[in-house]
Amino acid sequence: TEATSEEVDDDYHTIIKDTERGKGPSDTHEFQAETRQLLDIVAKSLYSEKEVFIRELISNSSDALEKLRYFELTGAQVDDKEVPLEIHIATNDDKKTFTIQDTGIGLTKEELLENLGTIARSGSKAFLEELADKSKGDVRSSLIGQFGVGFYSTFMVGDKVDVYTKSYQPGSTAYKWSSDGSGKYDISEAEGVQRGTKIVVHLKGDCYDYAKEDIITEVVKKYSNFVGVPIYLNGKRANIVQALWTMEPRDVTEDMHEEFYRYIGNVYDKPRYHLHYKTDAPLNIRSLFYVPEYKPTMFDMSRETDVGVALYSRKVLIMARANHVLPKWLRFMKGVVDSEDIPLNLSRELLQDSNLIRKLRQVLTNRILKFFVDQAKKNPLAYREFYDDYGLFFREGIVTTAEQDQREDIAKLLRFESSKLNSGELTSLEEYGERMKAGERTIYFLSAPSRQLAETSPYFEALKKRDIEVLFLYEPYDELVLMNLGQFDRKNLKSIENELYDDKEDT
Ligand SMILES: Nc1nc(Cl)c2cnn(Cc3ccc(Br)cc3F)c2n1
């Protein structure tokens, strides 16, 4: 059914007005040689599909807004501070125009006068050769993105481009820049211009699609994942990043998880696991966790930076990287924790040692461990792959955790080869326990470089004769972990290399 007018009014919000006008004389300039080349490369050969001009303009606007946000945070003087940081896109099927406007830092006159050429010119020879070199594929598009020169991609689809811009510096003059991309551009002062940049693309005959709202909706949705600012298309919000964690788990689709995971993790891959955990006791918690598909790099393993989950209270972000909400050994988990019990004015030092955070960490850690135990039962193969990629974090967890019962909870996730299983098969400490004969009280293990060496070890021969199962450990750190763990489920963990002496002592 048609939305009634008041519904539209509630959500309808645009800053795009037709108030901008050139004022006074307009000067005509020739593009400098490098800019000419740049424009040709970017507009003619760089992109496989034309729609990417939208991605380039959105990312330029997003960069301009991020820069403004940064200036505001560092206390710089900013004009029109009350203007919200947004990107607006408008399509006009009658005029065949595509318009994008941001309230970011805006361009200064020297930037309009091709200082971009100078930036490019700084490494221009190399830069342009790199750009022209077709073999460089995606490096080139990132090079483009880097200098905001993606702007020139508008000439793939537009035969005339008007730019109205006003820099964020207080009292700066607004300008109008116009060009058909053929070699010259006009600049004049302008009036009726909002802080930021407005780009009006007059579309070529074969690109009228980009004047259609539903086409642009799809393109914006496809690229908007990675934009952290609100995007409006013809007055309607186009990049709804919902607070998935507050929704009913059953209402959240795989696609929504994937998009959200990329959005919060600032990564381009997809999650291999997600845990949507909501509870009201002992604390109010709405949380959503993801395990990345990718295998952690050594950098990930050691990385202190940007670990941690985002901490919210009632959907208001408190801390983007709250790295004490989970224990350090769970730093591979990405996600969001939202709790009404967390004070909005939580400080970093409070985050370190408050009882509330300690309790939150305990509840979340136990729930995450239970999740992995459940996943191991539900899909052993997927768990095996996960364990191969992320198992090191659990070993770290055991040796860095003080409470024995927590250590044993983590130890439930460990997997080893065993003398009772075929080579390549893994078992858990719990399964070993289930196979133990009545009255036995020791879990035996042997550290050796390979199964072949383990099975031919004299230590093993003795146990084999007594038909006692032995776990085979091929990584030295696993021996350290089990020795550090000491007990599991009231059974002693013992390396059979020590066992022989007990034999002698027994005799
Ligand atoms: N949205 C936005 N905001 C800012 Cl601050 C900048 C700075 N450079 N660019 C790219 C660009 C380059 C030359 C011309 Br002419 C126009 C143009 F938009 C930007 N785009």
Side-chain angles (χ1 to χ4, degrees), residues 301-304 323 326-332 393 396:
M301 301 293 283
S302 63
R303 175 160 51 187
E304 297 294 327
N323 51 17
L326 293 179
K328 193 163 176 293
W329 61 272
L330 278 176
R331 60 185 175 281
F332 61 87
F393 287 101
E396 177 187 324

Side-chain angles (χ1 to χ4, degrees), residues 164-201:
Y164 300 94
T165 190
K166 184 156 98 73
S167 157
Y168 75 101
Q169 282 128 348
S172 59
T173 309
Y175 295 96
K176 175 183 181 183
W177 180 99
S178 269
S179 175
D180 62 4
S182 67
K184 293 195 295 299
Y185 59 93
D186 298 330
I187 287 189
S188 70
E189 291 195 1
E191 59 194 0
V193 180
Q194 167 87 255
R195 179 197 75 209
T197 304
K198 175 182 190 177
I199 297 172
V200 183
V201 183

Side-chain angles (χ1 to χ4, degrees), residues 60-61 64 102 105-107 111-112 116 148 151-152 163 177 197 199:
N60 283 350
S61 290
D102 65 65
I105 57 170
L107 287 99
E111 280 174 327
L112 286 170
L116 283 148
F151 162 77
Y152 294 109
V163 177
W177 180 99
T197 304
I199 297 172

Side-chain angles (χ1 to χ4, degrees), residues 4-19:
T4 57
S5 61
E6 56 274 8
E7 272 166 37
V8 171
D9 288 347
D10 279 0
D11 302 340
Y12 185 81
H13 161 59
T14 185
I15 61 170
I16 294 186
K17 303 182 288 290
D18 196 9
T19 57

Side-chain angles (χ1 to χ4, degrees), residues 424-448:
E425 287 172 6
L426 297 184
T427 189
S428 67
L429 294 173
E430 283 181 307
E431 289 166 351
Y432 182 108
E434 286 153 13
R435 293 190 291 263
M436 284 169 76
K437 299 186 182 67
E440 285 188 2
R441 293 178 39 69
T442 303
I443 295 176
Y444 293 103
F445 60 87
L446 171 62
S447 178

Side-chain angles (χ1 to χ4, degrees), residues 392 395 399 416 445-450 472-484 495 497:
L392 268 180
R395 286 133 171 147
V399 301
F416 308 98
F445 60 87
L446 171 62
S447 178
S450 72
F472 291 151
L473 281 44
Y474 306 131
E475 298 293 345
Y477 52 66
D478 270 336
E479 182 178 29
L480 295 175
V481 169
L482 292 192
M483 287 163 79
N484 176 286
S495 162
E497 289 177 332

Side-chain angles (χ1 to χ4, degrees), residues 200-213:
V200 183
V201 183
H202 301 270
L203 295 163
K204 292 174 178 172
D206 60 347
C207 300
Y208 285 172
D209 273 0
Y210 300 115
K212 294 184 184 345
E213 178 176 314

